[in-house]
Amino acid sequence: MSTTADGSTASAPPVSSSTATTTAASAAAATTAADPAATAATGAAGPDSPGSAGPRRAMGWRLRFAVLCLVWGFSFLFIKVGNRGFAPLQVTLGRVGFGALVLVVMLLVTRERLPRSARVWGHLAVAAVLLNVLPFSLFAYSELTIPSTLAGICNATSPLWGMLLSLVALSEDRPTRRRVAGLGVGFLGVLTVLGAWQGFSGTDLTGTAMALGASLSYPIGWIYVRRTLAGTGHSHLSMTSAQLLLATAQLAVLTPLFSPMPTSFPVVPLLAVFALGALGTGFAFLLQYGLVAEVGPTTAQMVTYFIPVIGTAAGVTLLDEQLSWNTPVGALIVLAGAALTQSRPRRTTPSP
């Protein structure tokens, strides 16, 4: 699996892909919801009825859900702070490197093995680009010119892009009228956030386009993973660890070509990059799939709707970022549209 920049994660059928950050990636609404394997991982014990687990377990998953919301909600703040001391590609390299380290430690603890098939590694290399290297780098570059609050809101458009792509790419996931309406509502929200009626004045279009491009990269990666890595027989932990190791190797080659070696390692930016990787990518993956297994993907994916709220609050209170009225209003419209795109028709029970 991999996580999204924000914190969204997407998973691959016996893998997991951000996560929908890494952790590749969802997370996503467009993260766990898009993964049939995530549903299977919930087991047979009523995945979407957490109340059946008893009050003690219910309190446990709610606490972990809140921690996951906080970790992913702060990811965009960590990127902004990391950019103050390092080049964007260096921030991304640190992110996937620290995230991979956490998961490799878990592999050793659980005595699981990395995949051995050259075919699987080849597909994971592509997934690493689409779900880690490209979106993480685009978000890091975007936050050189746009607030972390705007980057977090752009991240919330991933379910909208996924819905748009499903019109042509996923024949098994035909859109309903409600979901198409959600697509329209969501993009209306994007225009509201950007202040389209003002001619996008005050908004850096290049940075915004990069953030939106990062959000688009996630569903493209999810589609690729679903079509190439389904049924591999490997665990989420094994596949995601391999994917992040590949992303780390790719960025280790790429970063020196575009960014000079840092001459210093300022403490606060370094800690931000460490938190972004170890917590927002590695630890968040473990939390996400624990939640999916315990309460099911439908409940776990709700984390997506808290990420921009927490990200906005963090940016405004801790980074003194300015917030005009259209930003929170547009964000709410985006989230409403995203929720509609993830909705499913209710099953009707035939009357006796």
Side-chain angles (χ1 to χ4, degrees):
M1 140 164 184
S2 31
T3 32
T4 74
D6 58 75
S8 48
T9 57
S11 25
V15 308
S16 62
S17 96
S18 204
T19 25
T21 266
T22 197
T23 171
S26 164
T31 86
T32 48
D35 182 13
T39 306
T42 61
D48 286 319
S49 54
S52 63
R56 189 170 180 178
R57 287 188 66 190
M59 181 60 70
W61 80 258
R62 287 187 175 90
L63 178 60
R64 284 180 281 123
F65 182 92
V67 171
L68 186 60
C69 290
L70 285 172
V71 168
W72 275 339
F74 272 80
S75 291
F76 298 97
L77 180 146
F78 292 147
I79 293 172
K80 177 69 77 173
V81 175
N83 278 347
R84 294 175 177 176
F86 304 101
L89 283 179
Q90 293 166 353
V91 172
T92 306
L93 174 58
R95 177 178 189 171
V96 297
F98 286 126
L101 180 62
V102 170
L103 296 189
V104 168
V105 169
M106 283 303 301
L107 274 180
L108 295 175
V109 170
T110 59
R111 297 185 179 180
E112 291 192 42
R113 294 182 177 180
L114 293 169
R116 296 186 176 183
S117 166
R119 171 189 168 277
V120 170
W121 280 91
H123 287 308
L124 284 175
V126 177
V129 172
L130 294 174
L131 290 167
N132 301 116
V133 175
L134 181 59
F136 290 1
S137 299
L138 285 174
F139 272 121
Y141 273 106
S142 75
E143 290 200 40
L144 292 175
T145 56
I146 67 173
S148 66
T149 54
L150 179 55
I153 292 169
C154 289
N155 180 75
T157 64
S158 275
L160 305 178
W161 293 119
M163 177 67 217
L164 186 62
L165 290 172
S166 74
L167 296 174
V168 293
L170 292 177
S171 58
E172 73 273 15
D173 192 21
R174 292 296 183 186
T176 63
R177 290 182 180 179
R178 177 184 296 183
R179 299 177 72 192
V180 171
L183 184 64
V185 169
F187 284 111
L188 176 62
V190 172
L191 294 178
T192 303
V193 169
L194 299 181
W197 62 92
Q198 301 172 345
F200 305 106
S201 62
T203 301
D204 183 83
L205 294 183
T206 301
T208 304
M210 286 192 288
L212 291 172
S215 301
L216 171 61
S217 181
Y218 290 130
I220 293 175
W222 300 330
I223 291 170
Y224 179 84
V225 164
R226 290 177 67 176
R227 294 193 168 189
T228 61
L229 289 170
T232 60
H234 298 287
S235 70
H236 294 295
L237 178 59
S238 172
M239 296 288 275
T240 305
S241 299
Q243 182 177 311
L244 283 180
L245 286 171
L246 286 166
T248 303
Q250 292 165 351
L251 281 162
V253 173
L254 185 65
T255 301
L257 300 178
F258 295 93
S259 304
M261 287 291 293
T263 56
S264 63
F265 293 86
V267 174
V268 174
L270 182 60
L271 288 175
V273 173
F274 175 78
L276 182 65
L279 297 179
T281 301
F283 177 65
F285 160 77
L286 301 174
L287 277 180
Q288 169 75 359
Y289 276 87
L291 284 170
V292 170
E294 185 170 340
V295 301
T298 301
T299 301
Q301 75 182 20
M302 292 301 293
V303 68
T304 306
Y305 305 112
F306 292 90
I307 292 173
V309 176
I310 294 173
T312 298
V316 171
T317 58
L318 299 179
L319 299 178
D320 295 324
E321 294 180 344
Q322 299 301 310
L323 193 66
S324 57
W325 69 267
N326 57 298
T327 301
V329 171
L332 289 174
I333 298 174
V334 167
L335 293 176
L340 283 173
T341 65
Q342 296 301 306
S343 64
R344 296 290 189 276
R346 292 183 178 180
R347 295 179 181 177
T348 57
T349 304
S351 55

